[in-house]
Amino acid sequence: MYLPCPVVQNIKVSCTSWKCALEDVAWIISAPAYHLILEGILILWIIRLLFSKTYKLQERSDLTVKEKEELIEEWQPEPLVPPVSGDHPALNYNVVSGPPSHNIVVNGKKCVNFASFNFLGLLDDPRVKAAALVSLRKYGVGTCGPRGFYGTFDVHLDLEDRLAKFMQTEEAIIYSYGFATIASAIPAYSKRGDIVFVDRAACFAIQKGLQASRSDIQLFKHNDMADLERLLKEQEIEDQKNPRKARVTRRFIVVEGLYMNTGTICPLPELVKLKYKYKARIFLEESLSFGVLGEHGRGVTEHFGISIDDIDLISANMENSLASIGGFCCGRSFVIDHQRLSGQGYCFSASLPPLLAAAAIEALNIMEENPGIFSVLREKCKRIHKALQGISGLKVVGESFSPAFHLQLQESTGSREDDVKLLQEIVNHCMDRSIALTQARYLEKEEKCLPPPSIRVVVTVEQTDEELERAARTIKEVAQAVLL
Amino acid sequence: MRPGPGGCCYRRPVRANGCVANGEVRNGYVRSTAAAAAAAAAAAGQVHHVTQNGGLYKKPFNEAFEETPMLVAVLTYVGYGVLTLFGYLRDFLRHWRIEKCHHATERKEQQDFVSLYQDFENFYTRNLYMRIRDNWNRPICSVPGARVDIMERQSHDYNWSFKYTGNIIKGVINMGSYNYLGFARNTGSCQEAAAKVLEEYGVGVCSTRQEIGNLDKHEELEKLVASFLGVEAAMAYGMGFATNSMNIPALVGKGCLILSDELNHASLVLGARLSGATIRIFKHNNMQSLEKLLKDAIVYGQPRTRRPWKKILILVEGIYSMEGSIVRLPEVIALKKKYKAYLYLDEAHSIGALGPTGRGVVDYFGLDPEDVDVMMGTFTKSFGASGGYIGGKKELIDYLRTHSHSAVYATSLSPPVVEQIVTSMKCIMGQDGTTLGKECIQQLAENTRYFRRRLKEMGFIIYGNEDSPVVPLMLYMPAKIGAFGREMLKRNIGVVVVGFPATPIIESRARFCLSAAHTKEILDTALKEIDEVGDLLQLKYSRHRLVPLLDRPFDETTYEETED
């Protein structure tokens, strides 16, 4: 719509002469009021248009209180836990009545135990029990505190001392739970940004320790030193690119002595070579090999004749050979002492009940007094290992001197569930024929590299030759009946 | 501003949410009178909140965290400053070999490896902790009962190493062990039973629960724990710490949210981290903070993807072991119900120690155990044994039996330890035909109130709830940590002192744990000595004079009067 615009006229006129301008002013004054108001509004409109944004931003999407309430009302969480079907293979545990020693009563059936890690038969040793009893009469059961706050007993110091001496290291530190030992030790040293090279077959405790450390994890193929070296080399090249970062990046190799999941031994001499070549520290988990391998039961280092000083940290639990509870780490004071403030499972947990520490000390006494026990164990391992060869459908996995090894299906049925069922059937039949066995249990979704299903056979010094033969025969017959 | 029934009992200064220490105090700030106006301005809302929730509480909930006096705070910082300066100086001297280096060093062969420790990591240990290291890890050689025997040790190199003199300091009053109900004993029915089981079963198990380490004893224990807690089922584990860190990952995972109290124990923190769930922290025992997080979580969903959270798990403890505070469970349960979250309650310190029947914090508030989804606790403290449990609905326990990391990979509880738990628990429940358990519970409650009241009367700053057997006494200054611990031991009293990193940097404290085994004489002796040492070290910081009315029944005249 056209509106007469006297202002524009003004400018034109004012160019001509002063006089005209004055006339114009007079004209403005004489203009009707409505006109001036209109002009004023128009000018303001133009200014507004000039300064305002050309388009409007979207309205901010703040939710109203009511909308929020609706959202809260609508939200339905998942159940806390998914339902577990009644026939889940892991739901109904075997019930052991009485002590879980050599002769064991499982689900009411008397069996010979081929499942507990009681390698040296110290679980029901009268000397161990007597020592524990003396301790119980002196200290009671619990410690009622962590090590820092009046939870350190003289027995703990004794046990640490004895373990250090036994392993011929400077210092040892005990934990009140086997699982927590390596799982606390790894994150005490390896932090975010550090690199850990770890064997694919490493046990669950190591996996949890690595996860807690939040370090960079490099998996190498099980016992494959070429693969490890490849990773170390790659890292070396990486380090050369960024030497500043490399100077503060710690490197660790984490391996097990005897692998829980495979029953195989780690090639320690090669590992030590790689350690010095690539300057990576070795952490060794010896839960299965401590009190088993070597002339005096000191584990893989003794087995290979390697100086224990070449290993930065050795960890083991006291729940297998020593038949007590808890775990320990040993090595040089420079390394071990750090855990006394940084090992979470050490600092923040109640200490080991003194009677369990006393039992472990007595078990160490027996091991020291009686070094022949280890070769007896090895003989028995070899015997059953040999006897179990050549079962159609089952293969033996693990070293011939390992007291815990696996029986896996030669050919999988294609589904893990069916494999597990098949193996369970073998286990059940053996149990009926008074040989107590168990499948190796895993959390299938949690394991980094899930091992194939297997029956784990455990050899102890208490098993007589006759029992070993009978066990091998039974397994053979049952496997034949089930698998063929 | 009259607090509602069962709400806050302080008139002044008004603290958010009924005198609970919140962020502003925790991070070291001191609120002086100038800030009181601001506090008063916020008061209307706070009191409103308290009256709102006052109905949830059946009895008064008195919890106090007196603020740090300004001068003390300044001096504490100065103290740390001096220590740090000297630390650098001595590190410099050690570097140039002017001062002898005591600590262990790297092997020669591995000198060119990347250093195992970051230098700063050990600065604190080397220069601050080492000076007062003799206050921790004191080895004892007796039952950790009301009195303990401590092995005397000496250091000739300023705590770098200790030598045992062979002497034993006998009969030290034990204010440090978590022996709440006094079950740490080497005689009596529990020990007899444990000894019998030990002789029958031995000490170890050598297998896991899922393989062949599930003994009849374990099944018996779990049934008993379930009936003790009043839940459908329970499961027991070999270590309290691991109960948290190995079971939380079984319950939540990626896409789930964990709301965790800022002062939660390391085991809960580790479990939460291992689970892979998102973790958000709310202020200690602060229900507004929790509610805001809950609301925001549901309204805004997961960050980036904006998907709704799969589930929300609230992690709280019954009694916080460093603060002595009790969780505001009625409010937490109300919030959890309102927002459909799940509640994980860690009763490590409260089970046995709280509640008229010793059933822990749920019993203390008179609530229904059904309302707590996951009841976790330990056997280490009140039961004088070791290990932990989780109780709850049958579905939960069935799931844990199949998916708990502990059940699959960790050795099960030692049989004599199980027996100790069973007999002590039966004693608490009165199933042994005596009233011993009940008496212990009452004794502990009386000791707690008495000890706390006396300390407050003496003018110490005492944190926490009046019913909490964990009693923190504030020391603040780093030098006083060592001095208090040593002076008390000199007077034959064993106490726990804690400083950074277990507490915020300026809030170093001594902590007493009361026990039913403490007699009145023992407590009076301890109090007399604490009083003396308090004068000696000038620890009586409290500016709130207390009218000692805590033992009277609650009515509106029983506010704790405070005068600045």
Side-chain angles (χ1 to χ4, degrees):
Chain A
M1 191 171 75
Y2 173 74
L3 283 168
C5 183
V7 179
V8 179
Q9 287 168 11
N10 279 354
I11 296 164
K12 276 182 193 166
V13 177
S14 65
C15 293
T16 52
S17 73
W18 267 100
K19 208 177 165 187
C20 290
L22 280 174
E23 276 172 16
D24 261 9
V25 172
W27 183 83
I28 289 170
I29 293 164
S30 65
Y34 81 89
H35 205 111
L36 285 176
I37 292 165
L38 199 67
E39 299 263 326
I41 292 171
L42 278 170
I43 289 167
L44 288 175
W45 182 252
I46 290 165
I47 292 169
R48 212 200 124 176
L49 281 177
L50 279 175
F51 285 94
S52 70
K53 288 201 178 90
T54 46
Y55 58 93
K56 264 189 193 161
L57 277 174
Q58 227 179 333
E59 286 281 323
R60 286 200 55 203
S61 61
D62 278 348
L63 296 169
T64 63
V65 175
K66 192 160 170 277
E67 281 170 323
K68 283 187 183 175
E69 270 167 15
E70 276 170 11
L71 280 169
I72 290 167
E73 195 58 42
E74 277 167 24
W75 182 65
Q76 277 306 329
E78 282 179 9
L80 179 61
V81 288
V84 178
S85 72
D87 61 344
H88 190 287
L91 180 60
N92 301 306
Y93 296 169
N94 292 318
V95 181
V96 176
S97 332
S101 49
H102 177 55
N103 290 307
I104 187 170
V105 181
V106 190
N107 303 330
K109 273 170 272 180
K110 265 192 191 164
C111 298
V112 179
N113 194 345
F114 279 85
S116 306
F117 298 114
N118 178 21
F119 303 136
L120 303 180
L122 297 176
L123 191 95
D124 56 354
D125 189 281
R127 276 179 63 185
V128 173
K129 282 182 184 174
L133 197 62
V134 169
S135 173
L136 174 70
R137 300 257 185 245
K138 185 171 178 202
Y139 302 101
V141 175
T143 59
C144 290
R147 288 291 293 267
F149 305 154
Y150 304 98
T152 301
F153 285 60
D154 47 359
V155 244
H156 294 140
L157 301 174
D158 283 350
L159 177 57
E160 284 177 351
D161 212 36
R162 288 295 305 277
L163 283 166
K165 286 217 177 83
F166 182 82
M167 293 298 284
Q168 300 179 334
T169 54
E170 283 179 12
E171 194 168 337
I173 180 171
I174 52 173
Y175 283 77
S176 55
Y177 203 43
F179 188 95
T181 313
I182 189 73
S184 292
I186 294 174
Y189 303 98
S190 184
K191 310 278 178 193
R192 201 189 282 273
D194 295 337
I195 299 168
V196 187
F197 301 91
V198 60
D199 194 292
R200 269 176 180 278
C203 66
F204 198 69
I206 293 180
Q207 294 171 33
K208 286 290 127 180
L210 292 173
Q211 198 191 337
S213 76
R214 301 193 264 187
S215 308
D216 178 8
I217 294 153
Q218 305 272 353
L219 293 167
F220 60 89
K221 285 187 201 140
H222 177 51
N223 271 350
D224 185 340
M225 291 303 105
D227 196 40
L228 172 61
E229 184 153 19
R230 178 183 62 83
L231 289 171
L232 286 164
K233 259 198 190 123
E234 274 174 20
Q235 185 55 39
E236 201 177 44
I237 294 164
E238 199 67 28
D239 286 348
Q240 278 158 0
K241 282 186 203 153
N242 192 351
R244 260 180 89 180
K245 192 178 163 213
R247 270 204 298 278
V248 292
T249 307
R250 287 171 281 249
R251 271 143 291 184
F252 301 93
I253 300 171
V254 179
V255 288
E256 279 179 73
L258 278 174
Y259 282 86
M260 183 66 127
N261 293 355
T262 61
T264 45
I265 192 168
C266 70
L268 201 59
E270 283 87 345
L271 281 163
V272 171
K273 269 182 215 145
L274 289 175
K275 162 187 165 157
Y276 287 107
K277 191 168 170 196
Y278 294 96
K279 302 195 185 353
R281 294 166 198 274
I282 297 182
F283 285 5
L284 182 59
E285 218 296 319
E286 291 221 66
S287 286
L288 279 193
S289 48
F290 169 78
V292 170
L293 294 186
E295 201 187 333
H296 301 93
R298 291 193 193 107
V300 221
T301 44
E302 197 183 26
H303 178 84
F304 284 113
I306 282 175
S307 159
I308 207 144
D309 279 343
D310 284 332
I311 312 298
D312 293 83
L313 180 136
I314 290 179
S315 124
N317 69 33
M318 305 191 282
E319 294 162 356
N320 301 341
S321 288
L322 290 179
S324 180
I325 302 282
F328 70 92
C329 287
C330 62
R332 302 186 67 244
S333 292
F334 174 71
V335 179
I336 299 300
D337 202 44
H338 182 66
Q339 287 178 52
R340 298 197 190 270
L341 286 177
S342 304
Q344 284 213 326
Y346 178 86
C347 287
F348 297 109
S349 161
S351 50
L352 185 69
L355 73 97
L356 298 173
I361 293 176
E362 193 58 34
L364 274 177
N365 285 341
I366 294 172
M367 276 161 63
E368 279 178 349
E369 286 164 21
N370 193 0
I373 199 170
F374 307 110
S375 55
V376 172
L377 181 63
R378 267 191 292 280
E379 281 313 307
K380 292 191 190 280
C381 293
K382 282 189 182 138
R383 181 182 280 268
I384 191 164
H385 205 268
K386 205 166 144 200
L388 283 172
Q389 298 295 333
I391 302 176
S392 49
L394 283 182
K395 61 178 175 196
V396 182
V397 177
E399 311 290 345
S400 61
F401 49 78
S402 168
F405 56 91
H406 297 257
L407 296 174
Q408 289 173 2
L409 289 176
Q410 252 161 6
E411 276 167 51
S412 165
T413 55
S415 104
R416 191 174 174 99
E417 210 177 312
D418 290 344
D419 288 359
V420 168
K421 270 190 193 146
L422 219 52
L423 289 172
Q424 191 55 43
E425 212 175 319
I426 298 177
V427 169
N428 291 345
H429 282 299
C430 287
M431 211 92 96
D432 287 338
R433 296 172 62 172
S434 64
I435 299 293
L437 288 170
T438 176
Q439 282 197 66
R441 303 278 190 174
Y442 305 103
L443 284 173
E444 299 181 2
K445 286 185 190 130
E446 308 273 334
E447 285 275 358
K448 266 227 159 80
C449 311
L450 182 63
S454 65
I455 297 172
R456 199 190 297 108
V457 182
V458 180
V459 185
T460 73
V461 288
E462 287 179 303
Q463 291 154 1
T464 61
D465 290 351
E466 186 270 322
E467 280 165 340
L468 288 168
E469 293 298 335
R470 185 157 66 85
R473 209 169 49 237
T474 310
I475 294 171
K476 206 172 252 180
E477 285 167 13
V478 167
Q480 245 149 22
V482 172
L483 296 176
L484 296 179
Chain B
M1 351 183 310
R2 180 184 302 164
C8 157
C9 290
Y10 270 71
R11 269 186 183 163
R12 228 163 12 121
V14 179
R15 279 282 186 77
N17 209 357
C19 317
V20 185
N22 290 321
E24 71 274 348
V25 186
R26 197 123 301 295
N27 54 29
Y29 271 91
V30 184
R31 191 193 280 161
S32 62
T33 36
Q46 301 303 346
V47 172
H48 175 67
H49 176 80
V50 170
T51 33
Q52 244 183 1
N53 289 336
L56 295 172
Y57 293 90
K58 296 193 174 90
K59 60 173 138 185
F61 186 80
N62 299 328
E63 215 160 275
F65 296 88
E66 192 177 327
E67 60 232 62
T68 312
M70 174 72 91
L71 181 67
V72 175
V74 171
L75 287 176
T76 307
Y77 280 120
V78 170
Y80 278 106
V82 171
L83 280 168
T84 312
L85 275 179
F86 266 87
Y88 280 118
L89 176 70
R90 296 186 64 182
D91 271 3
F92 175 80
L93 296 178
R94 284 181 197 122
H95 182 77
W96 294 103
R97 315 259 160 170
I98 300 169
E99 186 184 325
K100 200 180 152 204
C101 239
H102 291 284
H103 50 85
T105 46
E106 180 78 279
R107 281 173 82 201
K108 272 209 192 78
E109 295 88 330
Q110 291 182 217
Q111 293 283 6
D112 55 344
F113 279 45
V114 174
S115 159
L116 189 54
Y117 310 116
Q118 272 156 11
D119 204 42
F120 184 78
E121 203 179 327
N122 288 344
F123 178 84
Y124 184 86
T125 315
R126 200 164 51 227
N127 294 307
L128 281 82
Y129 171 72
M130 200 53 80
R131 288 165 175 269
I132 50 172
R133 189 161 86 114
D134 54 314
N135 289 294
W136 291 279
N137 301 305
R138 286 176 180 156
I140 68 174
C141 50
S142 71
V143 182
R147 286 179 185 271
V148 285
D149 299 341
I150 296 185
M151 290 162 75
E152 192 183 61
R153 50 181 189 175
Q154 278 177 344
S155 177
H156 298 292
D157 51 2
Y158 301 99
N159 288 348
W160 284 97
S161 65
F162 290 107
K163 292 236 156 33
Y164 294 96
T165 60
N167 294 340
I168 286 167
I169 313 170
K170 285 216 177 254
V172 177
I173 294 177
N174 182 3
M175 302 299 298
S177 295
Y178 308 128
N179 176 24
Y180 297 124
L181 292 180
F183 280 106
R185 271 185 297 217
N186 57 2
T187 52
S189 56
C190 296
Q191 277 52 54
E192 288 315 312
K196 221 172 130 199
V197 170
L198 167 62
E199 282 183 51
E200 191 189 342
Y201 284 78
V203 298
V205 184
C206 293
S207 188
T208 67
R209 293 292 298 276
Q210 283 208 355
E211 289 177 359
I212 205 150
N214 178 49
L215 307 187
D216 45 2
K217 283 275 152 213
H218 296 130
E219 305 253 317
E220 180 193 343
L221 172 68
E222 284 169 357
K223 279 197 194 98
L224 185 70
V225 171
S227 79
F228 178 74
L229 296 172
V231 294
E232 288 174 10
M235 191 167 179
Y237 305 96
M239 182 196 197
F241 184 96
T243 309
N244 280 333
S245 59
M246 294 167 85
N247 284 307
I248 296 173
L251 300 175
V252 285
K254 238 181 155 56
C256 301
L257 178 68
I258 289 176
L259 298 179
S260 170
D261 190 292
E262 63 179 340
L263 296 181
N264 272 345
H265 189 254
S267 55
L268 289 164
V269 176
L270 179 65
R273 277 195 193 151
L274 290 178
S275 72
T278 306
I279 305 163
R280 288 182 187 158
I281 312 291
F282 61 92
K283 286 180 183 164
H284 175 53
N285 226 353
N286 184 323
M287 294 304 119
Q288 285 101 325
S289 172
L290 173 62
E291 180 160 17
K292 184 168 183 307
L293 285 181
L294 276 167
K295 208 182 255 175
D296 285 355
I298 298 171
V299 169
Y300 299 112
Q302 301 185 35
R304 292 201 359 260
T305 62
R306 298 288 164 214
R307 286 201 189 105
W309 294 102
K310 286 184 188 159
K311 52 194 165 192
I312 300 176
L313 185 68
I314 304 171
L315 298 184
V316 290
E317 286 185 51
I319 292 180
Y320 288 85
S321 65
M322 286 295 162
E323 304 305 296
S325 47
I326 296 177
V327 63
R328 302 182 148 262
L329 194 62
E331 289 173 72
V332 176
I333 287 179
L335 285 178
K336 155 212 131 85
K337 282 185 178 161
K338 185 170 167 199
Y339 294 98
K340 289 170 274 194
Y342 299 107
L343 177 58
Y344 186 108
L345 175 65
D346 176 346
E347 296 222 65
H349 287 267
S350 52
I351 193 72
L354 273 187
T357 58
R359 260 66 159 192
V361 69
V362 176
D363 185 27
Y364 174 75
F365 288 113
L367 299 166
D368 186 356
E370 287 256 312
D371 288 336
V372 180
D373 299 281
V374 188
M375 300 262 274
M376 181 269 164
T378 66
F379 301 125
T380 317
K381 283 118 191 168
S382 297
F383 304 99
S386 77
Y389 64 81
I390 281 183
K393 293 246 157 50
K394 191 175 173 297
E395 300 89 72
L396 169 75
I397 302 304
D398 277 354
Y399 186 78
L400 288 179
R401 278 168 87 86
T402 51
H403 290 83
S404 160
H405 299 181
S406 283
V408 186
Y409 297 103
T411 305
S412 23
L413 270 166
S414 159
V417 175
V418 170
E419 192 60 22
Q420 161 81 15
I421 304 164
V422 168
T423 40
S424 58
M425 196 174 276
K426 279 185 177 164
C427 181
I428 297 170
M429 294 165 87
Q431 283 186 8
D432 61 342
T434 67
T435 55
L436 206 78
K438 199 151 182 60
E439 283 160 24
C440 285
I441 294 166
Q442 274 169 0
Q443 186 65 48
L444 177 65
E446 274 169 36
N447 285 354
T448 301
R449 289 227 167 186
Y450 175 71
F451 194 75
R452 278 185 164 268
R453 197 193 64 211
R454 287 286 307 275
L455 285 180
K456 278 192 183 170
E457 281 169 8
M458 288 175 194
F460 293 106
I461 294 186
I462 302 296
Y463 272 10
N465 194 294
E466 61 171 1
D467 286 323
S468 141
V470 178
V471 186
L473 181 152
M474 303 310 289
L475 303 173
Y476 298 111
M477 293 171 212
K480 290 186 183 180
I481 304 175
F484 188 78
R486 288 173 193 156
E487 284 298 327
M488 292 307 285
L489 187 62
K490 237 187 248 173
R491 291 164 165 78
N492 237 23
I493 295 167
V495 296
V496 167
V497 283
V498 274
F500 182 79
T503 68
I505 189 116
I506 71 158
E507 291 181 24
S508 305
R509 60 196 69 174
R511 187 186 63 182
F512 308 106
C513 288
L514 292 161
S515 163
H518 289 141
T519 58
K520 180 114 191 320
E521 295 80 67
I522 289 182
L523 288 183
D524 282 335
T525 318
L527 283 163
K528 189 182 127 260
E529 304 292 354
I530 294 168
D531 191 28
E532 239 173 64
V533 175
D535 285 328
L536 182 73
L537 302 177
Q538 300 187 335
L539 294 171
K540 297 180 176 174
Y541 299 114
S542 180
R543 294 169 304 171
H544 297 168
R545 220 156 308 143
L546 186 78
V547 182
L549 290 169
L550 287 175
D551 277 355
R552 283 224 223 123
F554 182 79
D555 60 48
E556 60 176 315
T557 61
T558 61
Y559 306 139
E560 287 177 27
E561 290 290 349
T562 58
E563 294 166 28
D564 289 278

